[in-house]
Amino acid sequence: MRLQTFSAPYKMFKRYSNYAGGTCDALVISWPKGIKARGEIRNQYHHSTDIVPTILDICGLEMPKTFNNIPQYPLSGVSMKYSFDAKPDAPTQKHIQYYTMLGTRAIWKDGWKAVAVHVPLTGKSNFDKDEWELYNVDVDRAESNNLAKKNPEKLKELKAAWFEEADKNLVLPLDDRSPMELLSTERPSQEKPKTRYIYYPGTVAVPEGVAVNVRGRSYKIVGDVDIKSGASGVVFAHGSRFGGHSLFIKDNKLYYVYNFLGIQPEQTFVSSATLTPGKHALGFEFVRESTGKNGEQIGTGHLYIDGKEVAKGPMKTQPGKFTLSGDGLCVGFDSGDAVSHQYKSPGTFKGGEILGVGVDISEQSYEDLNKEALRIMKSE
């Protein structure tokens, strides 16, 4: 496997927090005025949690105990500043570090490391059935010699230390939800729930966590667009090539594409007639009718120009989020990976002006939303 080849000589790869193949990286530090050494290697054990303490130490600052009268959680790392002038193999000043991700666990303590072998994302937990391994990484950095049976007392000590660190750093309870459970769980938000969202051009992509949620429901999209001759590009886009939807103009025609999990062919709706110069309400409506066996929503898609249906067809929408990170909701362009292969990112809108795009998830009819869009354009 290519990922494991890149991680050699360490075991496994990035989603495994228990083995070095998923966690070990080189760190390059450059500070010409503060580090005399040039091009030298330091082998002291450290972790990403040590970066902020190092910066504070260099600047002669202390981590504030409160900020705006709010108590701050203490930093868990230690400064690496001492290593700048240390010998390459001098002892580290860090003594303990826990790891956890998707149920996989590990703890490093004074050159020893205990790891819990766990199958992640099963939804079954079974953490009490995990097999723990033990390595002396001071002499076995590749974690190839499991000493769990030869040194059970050391393993017992490290397992207890992991739970102590996990409790101290608010890791517990352990989470073993399935991918669908994780991706479909809504994050807390300070914004009150609403059924209509208005977005404008000239802004950065809106992260999916705070953008309108169209999953599992009917929805309507209307863009107020003043088209000049030869207009083209993205009016609205949300997601990426791995899943998302996009309303755009190409070859003087209106397109809507719903990219279901990146599966080809894309679900495409396109107007038969060409768009004429002037102000238009360009929109799409998905009417949910049923739920499929895998949680997908099944229904009918309708493409509109000024309230007139110009394309219609069966359609399905994915139950999970469009992206894990990045590739948010955009107006006038498509950030990151393009939702549709029918245009190249960023697909910037040209040849006109987008006044705004509304997305509605209420039970209100598309006709009512379209009338409001036309009323807004007349007032501009």
Side-chain angles (χ1 to χ4, degrees):
M1 181 179 287
R2 184 179 302 172
L3 284 173
Q4 293 196 52
T5 302
F6 287 166
S7 299
Y10 304 124
K11 291 182 181 179
M12 304 308 285
F13 42 92
K14 62 181 181 180
R15 71 168 176 152
Y16 293 90
S17 69
N18 48 349
Y19 295 117
T23 61
C24 186
D25 285 292
L27 173 65
V28 178
I29 300 178
S30 175
W31 185 21
K33 292 184 178 181
I35 300 176
K36 296 179 181 179
R38 295 292 184 269
E40 294 185 6
I41 294 175
R42 297 291 182 269
N43 293 313
Q44 291 80 24
Y45 176 93
H46 280 285
H47 186 267
S48 58
T49 55
D50 302 328
I51 294 176
V52 171
T54 302
I55 295 172
L56 291 175
D57 189 11
I58 290 171
C59 296
L61 300 174
E62 292 185 2
M63 174 72 179
K65 291 183 171 58
T66 61
F67 182 74
N68 288 340
N69 296 320
I70 299 174
Q72 299 298 294
Y73 196 79
L75 288 175
S76 59
V78 301
S79 173
M80 296 181 283
K81 182 182 177 183
Y82 75 94
S83 69
F84 300 167
D85 299 319
K87 293 181 179 180
D89 294 314
T92 179
Q93 292 186 9
K94 189 178 184 71
H95 299 289
I96 192 168
Q97 179 62 51
Y98 80 95
Y99 294 86
T100 181
M101 180 181 181
L102 302 176
T104 60
R105 293 169 284 162
I107 185 162
W108 176 93
K109 183 180 180 182
D110 293 326
W112 287 85
K113 186 177 179 183
V115 307
V117 180
H118 183 83
V119 179
L121 303 171
T122 64
K124 298 179 180 179
S125 293
N126 294 328
F127 292 109
D128 57 333
K129 298 180 181 179
D130 288 350
E131 177 186 348
W132 284 80
E133 299 172 353
L134 177 68
Y135 301 98
N136 184 350
V137 290
D138 269 356
V139 297
D140 178 24
R141 291 186 67 176
E143 300 165 9
S144 59
N145 187 16
N146 182 7
L147 302 175
K149 292 182 179 180
K150 293 183 178 180
N151 201 336
E153 290 304 314
K154 174 61 72 172
L155 179 60
K156 182 178 179 181
E157 172 197 336
L158 292 182
K159 286 170 65 175
W162 187 91
F163 279 99
E164 183 179 339
E165 290 295 304
D167 184 53
K168 183 192 305 181
N169 290 279
L170 310 178
V171 172
L172 303 175
L174 291 170
D175 189 350
D176 201 32
R177 286 173 291 173
S178 67
M180 184 57 68
E181 289 173 317
L182 288 171
L183 294 175
S184 59
T185 300
E186 292 300 315
R187 296 183 178 183
S189 174
Q190 292 183 324
E191 187 175 353
K192 294 181 179 179
K194 56 184 179 180
T195 58
R196 182 170 298 177
Y197 296 75
I198 307 297
Y199 299 101
Y200 298 95
T203 66
V204 298
V206 179
E208 184 164 11
V210 292
V212 57
N213 176 10
V214 300
R215 299 187 303 278
R217 50 168 61 104
S218 300
Y219 60 86
K220 299 161 281 288
I221 304 169
V222 177
D224 290 342
V225 184
D226 189 356
I227 294 177
K228 309 299 181 184
S229 178
S232 65
V234 173
V235 176
F236 167 94
H238 191 182
S240 70
R241 63 188 175 98
F242 300 110
H245 58 150
S246 178
L247 185 71
F248 58 96
I249 297 173
K250 179 181 178 181
D251 299 329
N252 292 318
K253 294 184 178 182
L254 179 64
Y255 283 73
Y256 175 83
V257 163
Y258 191 99
N259 181 340
F260 188 92
L261 297 172
I263 299 172
Q264 299 296 326
E266 299 170 342
Q267 299 176 99
T268 302
F269 300 80
V270 56
S271 64
S272 56
T274 58
L275 286 163
T276 58
K279 292 184 177 181
H280 295 282
L282 310 178
F284 183 83
E285 178 181 26
F286 171 69
V287 180
R288 176 189 172 277
E289 296 161 0
S290 63
T291 300
K293 63 179 182 179
N294 295 313
E296 72 275 19
Q297 302 305 305
I298 300 170
T300 304
H302 306 263
L303 187 66
Y304 297 98
I305 297 178
D306 298 328
K308 180 181 178 182
E309 186 178 273
V310 294
K312 175 183 177 181
M315 180 180 146
K316 62 180 180 179
T317 65
Q318 62 188 57
K321 294 180 180 179
F322 293 134
T323 58
L324 294 175
S325 63
D327 289 334
L329 185 154
C330 313
V331 172
F333 70 104
D334 188 345
S335 66
D337 288 321
V339 170
S340 173
H341 75 279
Q342 300 188 58
Y343 59 83
K344 293 183 178 180
S345 179
T348 305
F349 183 80
K350 299 177 181 179
E353 180 184 6
I354 301 172
L355 305 178
V357 176
V359 184
D360 192 287
I361 52 176
S362 70
E363 298 301 320
Q364 188 177 13
S365 69
Y366 180 88
E367 182 179 355
D368 293 336
L369 186 63
N370 183 71
K371 286 180 179 179
E372 183 170 340
L374 294 175
R375 178 185 60 79
I376 292 174
M377 281 196 292
K378 288 181 180 179
S379 66
E380 292 290 334

